Amino acid sequence: MSLFALLSRAWLPLCFGALAVLGLANLWQTSRVVAGTGPFSPSDPVAEVDRRLEPVRQSLLARGVREPVGFVATEHGAPQSAAWTELYYKSQYAMIPVVLDPAYERCEWILSVDAGAGMLLTARFEPVEPFASGVALWRRRAP
């Protein structure tokens, strides 16, 4: 039997076998991307901020806080810098329906998103509840 005759009979099973291998590899890679463990998994910085701030949002809603909450982030540059503004908007998105106010001095409640904010707030505000990753909830001290 010639090589040509052998290949002419085996081409269909070979094609289906190759398609099956490629299909399984595609399913495996897709499952890794969806699970967030693959090399092409998109990093979602908004979801990261959302995960960090979800307990704070729940705490504020449980306390019945409806007024604007001050926003402090000292480790992300000066207020209105690009890094600070990006963090502010991501945080505001994660905290909906709570409104964040960058002019924290006039607010009763304060959300600090990094550990460095404590030095700035201790004189006029008292810590209410610490959360993970340096996030904390503060409240204005009674006069």
Side-chain angles (χ1 to χ4, degrees):
M1 180 177 275
S2 72
L3 181 64
F4 178 74
L6 183 64
L7 287 178
S8 64
R9 254 196 269 160
W11 74 272
L12 192 59
L14 286 175
C15 288
F16 280 129
L19 282 174
V21 167
L22 289 174
L24 289 173
N26 188 16
L27 282 174
W28 177 71
Q29 181 61 33
T30 301
S31 70
R32 290 181 58 206
V33 169
V34 169
T37 59
F40 303 110
S41 299
S43 173
D44 188 356
V46 175
E48 292 169 17
V49 173
D50 195 27
R51 278 190 295 276
R52 281 182 66 201
L53 298 182
E54 177 63 22
V56 182
R57 187 176 74 80
Q58 293 298 331
S59 177
L60 286 168
L61 293 175
R63 294 172 193 272
V65 175
R66 297 292 181 244
E67 66 265 17
V69 173
F71 177 78
V72 178
T74 58
E75 296 175 6
H76 290 81
Q80 313 312 320
S81 69
W84 186 93
T85 303
E86 180 181 353
L87 179 63
Y88 170 75
Y89 283 117
K90 288 176 185 176
S91 300
Q92 178 59 78
Y93 180 80
M95 293 295 290
I96 291 172
V98 176
V99 175
L100 296 179
D101 187 352
Y104 68 90
E105 300 90 1
R106 62 183 176 204
C107 298
E108 181 180 350
W109 294 89
I110 305 291
L111 166 65
S112 64
V113 294
D114 51 45
M119 301 295 286
L120 182 67
L121 298 173
T122 53
R124 293 176 291 160
F125 299 92
E126 58 187 358
V128 174
E129 191 173 353
F131 296 93
S133 305
V135 175
L137 185 60
W138 299 73
R139 190 170 192 178
R140 183 178 301 281
R141 291 185 191 276

